[in-house]
Amino acid sequence: MRPTTVRTYALRTLSAALAALLFANAHAATTLNGDGSWAGFNVDANLPPYSFAWVDDEAATLSFSVTVPAGFVGRLTVVDLGISGDQFRVMDGAAWLGDTGTAVNGDVAGALQFSAEQALADSAFSRGIFTLAAGTHTISGLMIKSTSFIDPANGNSLSTDASIGALNLTLSPVPEPSKSASLLAGLGMLVWALRRNSLRHG
């Protein structure tokens, strides 16, 4: 094996092993709760089924079932882990929610994170925040850009075509319309009173 191939293989193996340790229940627990806890996913287009889709530790296609209760809005956060440089397309069933942001290629910056919170705080890592309305959602994704390395032997760019990532969901109550209307009415009365007072004294 060429040194670059050995390095790429070693990085993939390390990433997969750490993902298995950090997110051992990712393939079993496909329900994503709204408590902000992180769930993990893998991508490895080098192994069967040779896909860029999110998979579990056993290479089975992975999706997350999400329920946002009535009166709440969901905030879905997706972040790249391992070596920076990967980007993901996030889907809700057949609907495209969006893509995670651009990232610094790990070969250039050497950014390496296996904690979702630390990766989220590190601007080198791709992340995306998506809003989910009340209802049931099926969240899945695929890698649309992979970290690449320059082969020192020939100068060619080699893509790892493998990644790990994490996602979580938090829920927030939607303000009641009556409270919003009362707030606007009160604000309107305040503006009217201030304007009337300034005209009287002005």
Side-chain angles (χ1 to χ4, degrees):
M1 280 188 164
R2 293 192 321 246
T4 303
T5 306
V6 171
R7 178 180 167 198
T8 301
Y9 178 77
L11 288 171
R12 284 185 197 142
T13 304
L14 174 65
S15 293
L18 285 170
L21 287 173
L22 290 171
F23 304 112
N25 64 346
H27 69 279
T30 56
T31 298
L32 190 62
N33 297 317
D35 61 2
S37 58
W38 292 97
F41 59 85
N42 305 313
V43 176
D44 195 342
N46 303 291
L47 299 173
Y50 306 107
S51 166
F52 289 99
W54 293 354
V55 295
D56 64 14
D57 296 335
E58 296 168 4
T61 302
L62 183 61
S63 63
F64 296 88
S65 177
V66 172
T67 301
V68 178
F72 286 82
V73 64
R75 176 183 156 131
L76 178 72
T77 303
V78 179
V79 64
D80 178 28
L81 293 178
I83 303 167
S84 67
D86 303 313
Q87 286 181 271
F88 304 104
R89 175 151 297 154
V90 183
M91 306 293 291
D92 181 2
W96 173 52
L97 284 178
D99 298 340
T100 60
T102 58
V104 175
N105 195 335
D107 192 37
V108 176
L112 187 66
Q113 293 287 357
F114 293 99
S115 159
E117 294 294 342
Q118 290 176 2
L120 201 56
D122 187 337
S123 62
F125 285 83
S126 175
R127 84 281 317 276
I129 298 173
F130 310 96
T131 302
L132 300 177
T136 302
H137 305 270
T138 302
I139 305 301
S140 61
L142 59 127
M143 185 167 60
I144 57 173
K145 180 183 178 292
S146 176
T147 298
S148 59
F149 297 90
I150 302 300
D151 186 341
N154 58 23
N156 292 337
S157 178
L158 301 172
S159 176
T160 62
D161 293 339
S163 183
I164 58 174
L167 70 165
N168 76 0
L169 176 72
T170 55
L171 301 173
S172 303
V174 176
E176 294 179 26
S178 61
K179 288 183 182 177
S180 298
S182 297
L183 181 63
L184 286 175
L187 188 58
M189 292 293 289
L190 179 62
V191 169
W192 176 79
L194 289 172
R195 182 174 168 89
R196 184 172 172 229
N197 196 25
S198 68
L199 289 175
R200 185 180 288 165
H201 297 298

